[in-house]
Amino acid sequence: KNLMDDVDLVEKLQLRADVVAAMTKNLDQREARLMRLRYGLNDGKTRSIRDCAEAMGISRARAQQLAAGCLKKLREADDAESL
């Protein structure tokens, strides 16, 4: 392993921490859970909208609506420029 691999890992971890912080600040618990599931922020495993919906006990259509709303909120957040 070389230094660049370590730098890349640190950058990825920092970006993930920044994204999670932005989610915590701008999304409610259910929205944040959906984003963590969808993009694998807890376990590194991304999931389909259908899988997220099943895990959360909501319809696929509702999960899609929530996901779209979450992304809009995050894009419009005051701290989004830093991401």
Side-chain angles (χ1 to χ4, degrees):
K1 211 173 186 187
N2 64 37
L3 181 61
M4 290 308 293
D5 289 338
D6 291 340
V7 170
D8 287 344
L9 178 60
V10 169
E11 287 177 353
K12 285 179 185 178
L13 291 173
Q14 184 60 53
L15 177 60
R16 188 164 126 192
D18 291 346
V19 168
V20 170
M23 286 178 12
T24 301
K25 183 177 176 184
N26 296 291
L27 303 178
D28 67 30
Q29 285 184 324
R30 183 171 72 157
E31 292 168 333
R33 180 175 180 222
L34 177 64
M35 293 290 98
R36 285 192 309 271
L37 287 169
R38 180 79 170 116
Y39 297 104
L41 297 174
N42 286 346
D43 60 8
K45 179 184 174 192
T46 59
R47 291 168 179 81
S48 68
I49 286 290
R50 179 174 305 221
D51 290 342
C52 294
E54 288 176 11
M56 296 179 67
I58 59 177
S59 71
R60 186 196 59 75
R62 183 63 185 134
Q64 185 66 47
Q65 290 172 342
L66 276 175
C70 291
L71 294 175
K72 183 177 185 211
K73 278 185 182 182
L74 291 171
R75 278 190 211 103
E76 294 173 351
D78 290 338
D79 52 357
E81 288 182 23
S82 67
L83 301 177

